[in-house]
Amino acid sequence: MKIEQYKLLEKSLLKDFINSLIPIANVYAPVSKGFNNYVFQNIKSADEVSIKYIPTIIPPKKFFLPKKENILQFFIEDELKVEPVTEYENLIIFGVHTCDIAGIKCLNMVLSDKPKDTAYLIRKKHVTIIGIECNDYCDEYASCSFVGAHMPTTGYDLMFTELSEYFIVHIHSSKGMDIIEKTDIFKDASIAQLEELKILRNNKMKIFNNEIPTERRYLPDLFDRSFNANVWKELEQKCLSCGNCTAVCPTCYCFDIKEEVDLTLKAGERYRVWFSCQLDPFAKVAGGHDFRKERSARQRHRFYRKFRYHIDRYGMVFCTGCGRCSRTCMAKINLKEVLTSLIRESEAKIWRKWL
Amino acid sequence: MSKPKVAFFDFACCEGCQLQVANIGEPLIDLLDIVQVVEFREVMSEKWDGEFDVSFIEGSITDEHAVERIKKIRERSKILVALGSCATIGGVNGMKNSFPLEEVGKYVYGESYKFFPTLQTKAVHQVVPVDYFINGCPIYQPEFITVLKCILQGIPYYVPEYPVCVECKLNENVCMYDRGLTCMGPVTKAGCNSWCINNGNICYGCRGLTINPNTEGFKEVLKKYNIPEDFLIKKIEMYNKCKELD
């Protein structure tokens, strides 16, 4: 902890700080929609913002991978003209939790892998991320400690942590520094506040306990043993294939490509839209063959995409523990419970072998 | 090249879907640049006695006269489009099929029901071949335009094979079940961009059941919310009764 990387903000000045961002760029922050639902929304005043919130309906991935994104314009007058399109805006996302920052890090990993997603990488450069640290669990669905996303590490420009009297702000990039320097409401941090921050983080270790009865490093083994587990068969009955779990997942990035012409029928655009492995047409190919016809196979695929395949390819777990999939599931398919059942079933199998 | 000749016809329906077309607003000007409307009883008095390039059919087929008439329109049309729930899936008219025809006739016409012979309600494709389907009660205007563009390009239009929840979640609506309401979104065909829910209403399931719906799983979900099972059956039958005749 280098003291010059930290600044202090009086708690009463937080709204002033948010308001100071609004002239700089489009500011998006968590806004309450009622019924304990929140959305990252464009704000015009700090009064709209919910500082304390549970994860939003859709994570901030929507700013990096828009739900609908034009990628090509074409004109079919005498000859075909095609132009690639990259859409981006300068924006600041305020109030991002560490789980969602972990999600963006996962997306960065995949989309900067070959073939690089240029539009994504351009857009990313124009986004400033201001985080807010969670000092306690948002609710019972979170499993951020299991995946190690409950502590701020990297992936943000500024990180706000609430101490007893101040917000302590970690400056993690020059973009973050520029924002701090635009106002004069920040004070220098002193050793005392850094100490308080250390104590707070130590305390968090007690509050945030591993939510799953195993450790991350055992995941590959667990999943290698579980491809034919009964747990998946039970999901066949439950899952409605509504695709909510993947839509709200910070690390799901699958998309479909479509085209639409305008009413002249002579010009149009090619765009991509979010798509989901949970939906019927996803794995359907020519001739009507479907690689994952059963809902159980689709759910299994989702879990392997979070906890197995990406460990091999990127050395990362692709779950951020945000709990959105469980919170949103109509059929109450709960990620923590599914993992726990998998562990139980796998343990029972191992014991049977021994006895 | 002359503009494709387009016509609109209505059968058993409320004509609300045609009203949606007439009420489409600004895009109508551009639409009329690329098609020629030759017959559309709701908005014009002219008739056409030649061939139609595209015929839009609103309404379901409920008696012998309608059967004869739709067959003739089919013969005169290069492309036939089912417009709205009544035409695509039978719609609310399908509820008639839950009762004996005699009982239905007597309920409406009393003892003179014999002068008004009637048939079980059918969706248009259950009588003549249909080339394009535009679901909804009423239709969703942007989807109408999309389908029309597909027709004019000579390419198929695929109705999304997933439930309304997919579009609703992307629109970041608060789930109706979180509000304590029962919504048909989880088992209803998408394509409407969750129009009703965006405007604070529940989904009535007007576009019909999605392909391969997990109705058993949905019953379990309803149990968790203490919603009786026959409530779901009634909700499904409101729009999907004609499916039995497929």
Side-chain angles (χ1 to χ4, degrees):
Chain A
M1 282 185 178
K2 280 188 192 152
I3 196 155
E4 56 270 27
Q5 289 178 346
Y6 288 86
K7 290 279 178 190
L8 295 179
L9 183 70
E10 298 261 3
K11 283 190 187 174
S12 58
L13 293 178
L14 185 65
K15 278 191 179 178
D16 290 350
F17 170 67
I18 298 171
N19 284 330
S20 80
L21 300 172
I22 292 169
I24 306 176
N26 274 327
V27 181
Y28 293 82
V31 172
S32 170
K33 292 267 255 179
F35 303 91
N36 208 19
N37 279 251
Y38 298 88
V39 171
F40 274 106
Q41 214 167 274
N42 191 210
I43 53 151
K44 294 278 163 268
S45 151
D47 292 331
E48 300 168 44
V49 181
S50 298
I51 304 296
K52 285 230 181 321
Y53 71 101
I54 65 163
T56 49
I57 300 178
I58 300 271
K61 78 169 170 184
K62 68 179 178 182
F63 302 114
F64 294 81
L65 274 179
K67 298 166 201 168
K68 182 184 174 208
E69 180 192 358
N70 289 333
I71 52 177
L72 214 66
Q73 279 180 333
F74 53 85
F75 310 89
I76 335 161
E77 205 62 68
D78 299 321
E79 53 183 309
L80 177 69
K81 266 201 328 198
V82 178
E83 274 172 25
V85 181
T86 303
E87 295 176 332
Y88 60 86
E89 59 170 340
N90 275 324
L91 55 92
I92 297 173
I93 320 175
F94 176 84
V96 187
H97 286 165
T98 47
C99 53
D100 284 342
I101 291 171
I104 296 163
K105 283 197 276 185
C106 288
L107 294 183
N108 288 346
M109 199 63 153
V110 173
L111 295 157
S112 52
D113 191 5
K114 282 179 190 161
K116 282 187 181 174
D117 194 310
T118 318
Y120 175 91
L121 295 173
I122 292 173
R123 207 172 298 115
K124 182 167 104 68
K125 277 191 187 160
H126 290 83
V127 181
T128 305
I129 299 172
I130 304 180
I132 283 192
E133 183 169 1
C134 302
N135 293 351
D136 200 349
Y137 275 119
C138 48
D139 63 17
E140 71 278 13
Y141 294 107
S143 55
C144 45
S145 171
F146 172 63
V147 296
H150 59 312
M151 294 283 189
T153 50
T154 55
Y156 52 84
D157 298 291
L158 294 173
M159 175 60 69
F160 280 62
T161 307
E162 189 173 359
L163 301 178
S164 55
E165 284 169 40
Y166 294 98
F167 280 102
I168 188 162
V169 184
H170 182 214
I171 304 163
H172 199 256
S173 74
S174 54
K175 255 199 267 178
M177 187 54 121
D178 290 346
I179 287 174
I180 295 283
E181 283 174 348
K182 280 212 167 72
T183 64
D184 52 5
I185 54 177
F186 290 93
K187 289 189 209 166
D188 289 334
S190 71
I191 300 286
Q193 281 98 28
L194 279 194
E195 265 317 301
E196 198 187 338
L197 181 61
K198 268 186 207 160
I199 294 167
L200 183 138
R201 296 262 164 88
N202 281 334
N203 247 334
K204 269 180 78 171
M205 310 259 234
K206 288 175 210 149
I207 298 169
F208 288 81
N209 286 304
N210 185 3
E211 304 85 356
I212 315 286
T214 187
E215 284 173 42
R216 252 180 300 164
R217 60 193 165 119
Y218 298 129
L219 279 172
D221 274 351
L222 172 68
F223 274 80
D224 287 344
R225 283 195 302 268
S226 302
F227 201 75
N228 295 315
N230 287 320
V231 173
W232 311 125
K233 285 167 205 143
E234 286 158 25
L235 296 183
E236 177 74 26
Q237 314 296 326
K238 277 178 114 176
C239 177
L240 301 182
S241 300
C242 66
N244 279 355
C245 49
T246 49
V248 302
C249 179
T251 72
C252 277
Y253 47 80
C254 288
F255 56 83
D256 194 7
I257 300 234
K258 297 185 175 183
E259 278 158 4
E260 181 139 5
V261 293
D262 66 17
L263 279 171
T264 64
L265 304 180
K266 290 190 173 119
E269 49 207 17
R270 175 179 291 177
Y271 58 93
R272 62 177 174 189
V273 283
W274 292 2
F275 204 17
S276 162
C277 57
Q278 300 305 303
L279 305 180
D280 262 292
F282 188 83
K284 234 182 231 176
V285 294
H289 186 72
D290 189 344
F291 287 105
R292 278 191 293 272
K293 207 170 169 47
E294 293 82 28
R295 294 184 186 90
S296 50
R298 296 183 218 159
Q299 277 293 339
R300 177 174 65 195
H301 181 71
R302 175 167 80 94
F303 276 87
Y304 275 75
R305 285 290 289 234
K306 303 298 151 198
F307 296 107
R308 185 66 193 95
Y309 302 145
H310 287 63
I311 293 180
D312 275 350
R313 183 150 179 161
Y314 300 110
M316 282 165 86
V317 176
F318 263 56
C319 173
T320 71
C322 69
R324 281 189 180 86
C325 54
S326 314
R327 224 173 268 124
T328 196
C329 181
M330 301 263 324
K332 307 272 181 242
I333 296 171
N334 183 311
L335 179 125
K336 277 157 74 175
E337 286 168 15
V338 172
L339 284 180
T340 308
S341 313
L342 269 188
I343 293 160
R344 298 278 172 266
E345 193 178 334
S346 162
E347 277 170 354
K349 258 186 226 156
I350 293 170
W351 277 111
R352 266 204 302 279
K353 248 186 214 166
W354 274 56
L355 293 171
Chain B
M1 204 176 78
S2 68
K3 289 188 263 185
K5 294 182 177 54
V6 170
F8 290 79
F9 299 98
D10 38 73
F11 287 79
C13 63
C14 72
E15 301 186 18
C17 291
Q18 291 170 86
L19 203 59
Q20 287 291 319
V21 177
N23 201 23
I24 223 159
E26 223 168 287
L28 202 55
I29 300 167
D30 293 330
L31 280 176
L32 293 174
D33 276 345
I34 50 172
V35 298
Q36 184 193 355
V37 181
V38 292
E39 192 166 338
F40 191 165
R41 192 182 57 82
E42 201 167 74
V43 299
M44 59 197 259
S45 24
E46 291 87 341
K47 299 267 185 252
W48 183 258
D49 49 16
E51 249 199 353
F52 306 110
D53 291 303
V54 188
S55 291
F56 289 92
I57 310 296
E58 185 183 345
S60 31
I61 310 303
T62 54
D63 63 18
E64 282 298 343
H65 297 297
V67 172
E68 287 315 305
R69 190 169 152 240
I70 189 68
K71 281 182 180 163
K72 280 190 185 134
I73 293 171
R74 175 71 263 194
E75 279 168 18
R76 292 167 63 198
S77 311
K78 287 188 193 149
I79 285 165
L80 190 106
V81 188
L83 184 74
S85 292
C86 299
T88 51
I89 56 171
V92 288
N93 299 324
M95 283 191 281
K96 172 182 172 189
N97 299 359
S98 302
F99 308 95
L101 286 181
E102 205 180 306
E103 192 185 320
V104 174
K106 275 184 189 162
Y107 185 83
V108 178
Y109 297 108
E111 277 316 309
S112 39
Y113 77 94
K114 284 175 198 145
F115 302 111
F116 303 95
T118 187
L119 295 173
Q120 280 208 311
T121 302
K122 281 182 178 160
V124 176
H125 72 271
Q126 292 167 335
V127 185
V128 295
V130 170
D131 304 303
Y132 289 86
F133 293 86
I134 307 177
N135 289 287
C137 176
I139 54 154
Y140 179 57
Q141 289 164 334
E143 194 185 25
F144 171 82
I145 295 174
T146 302
V147 176
L148 182 63
K149 286 190 287 196
C150 287
I151 295 169
L152 297 177
Q153 290 174 91
I155 57 175
Y157 172 71
Y158 298 103
V159 179
E161 293 179 323
Y162 47 75
V164 173
C165 288
V166 174
E167 294 168 344
C168 192
K169 196 52 68 184
L170 261 45
N171 288 322
E172 294 196 79
N173 292 314
V174 175
C175 180
M176 285 294 161
Y177 289 84
D178 281 0
R179 295 175 187 264
L181 298 167
T182 311
C183 176
M184 291 292 282
V187 287
T188 302
K189 240 179 258 165
C192 57
N193 193 31
S194 65
W195 189 16
C196 291
I197 304 108
N198 300 352
N199 288 289
N201 210 340
I202 56 158
C203 170
Y204 293 99
C206 73
R207 298 172 61 87
L209 287 179
T210 178
I211 61 152
N212 191 20
N214 184 0
T215 27
E216 288 311 308
F218 194 44
K219 282 178 195 165
E220 287 301 312
V221 170
L222 293 181
K223 254 186 222 162
K224 283 178 193 133
Y225 290 94
N226 291 320
I227 297 159
E229 195 181 305
D230 72 318
F231 180 82
L232 171 70
I233 305 295
K234 279 182 192 154
K235 283 243 180 193
I236 289 179
E237 289 199 345
M238 186 159 124
Y239 278 103
N240 293 280
K241 193 68 191 173
C242 285
K243 219 177 164 76
E244 294 163 6
L245 303 174
D246 260 346

